[in-house]
Amino acid sequence: KNIAKLLNSFYKDNKLYLVMEVMQDNLNNIIRTQRLQSNDVRYIIHQILSGLNYLHNCGIIHGDLKPSDIGINKDFSVKIIDLNAERPKETDYVLTKWFVRLL
């Protein structure tokens, strides 16, 4: 429930377009324009971690999670909107590369 749903996809002019569900804003804008209460911050972080846990259970690691990749609605419901996903390989070098990117 914390990952934006893919509603449609299509090609136009040799480009792939993905149509995702709409979110009212992103976390980057909210952080810059609002003073969040501690309960709201905990609720947002819980939802982000739930979404990441789901991705990790599917074997997907987000390549570059940042506040602008987190869609948020006025009720502070959160969805990861830009997956920038990568599947880890079986070598120590590549796994280390992904873990470092998460830090």
Side-chain angles (χ1 to χ4, degrees):
K1 75 178 188 177
N2 297 113
I3 308 295
K5 291 178 180 61
L6 177 64
L7 302 175
N8 198 358
S9 64
F10 60 92
Y11 279 99
K12 182 178 180 183
D13 301 325
N14 278 341
K15 293 182 183 178
L16 175 63
Y17 292 86
L18 302 175
V19 181
M20 310 290 280
E21 65 182 301
V22 175
M23 300 296 289
Q24 293 171 328
D25 211 336
N26 68 60
L27 187 56
N28 189 53
N29 291 338
I30 296 297
I31 290 170
R32 292 176 188 274
T33 62
Q34 294 185 26
R35 180 156 176 86
L36 297 171
Q37 301 297 318
S38 59
N39 286 340
D40 297 330
V41 173
R42 281 193 285 273
Y43 182 57
I44 291 166
I45 290 171
H46 173 78
Q47 291 178 88
I48 293 168
L49 293 175
S50 292
L52 286 173
N53 185 55
Y54 175 79
L55 290 174
H56 292 178
N57 286 337
C58 293
I60 299 170
I61 297 175
H62 195 288
D64 183 30
L65 189 62
K66 54 192 173 287
S68 59
D69 295 337
I70 307 296
I72 190 165
N73 288 325
K74 288 182 183 180
D75 64 354
F76 295 119
S77 60
V78 164
K79 294 187 186 237
I80 298 173
I81 56 177
D82 179 5
L83 290 183
N84 194 13
E86 300 177 8
R87 291 190 177 269
K89 307 291 189 263
E90 295 299 320
T91 66
D92 289 339
Y93 167 75
V94 175
L95 285 177
T96 302
K97 177 180 148 188
W98 272 291
F99 288 123
V100 168
R101 286 179 72 182
L102 291 174
L103 298 175

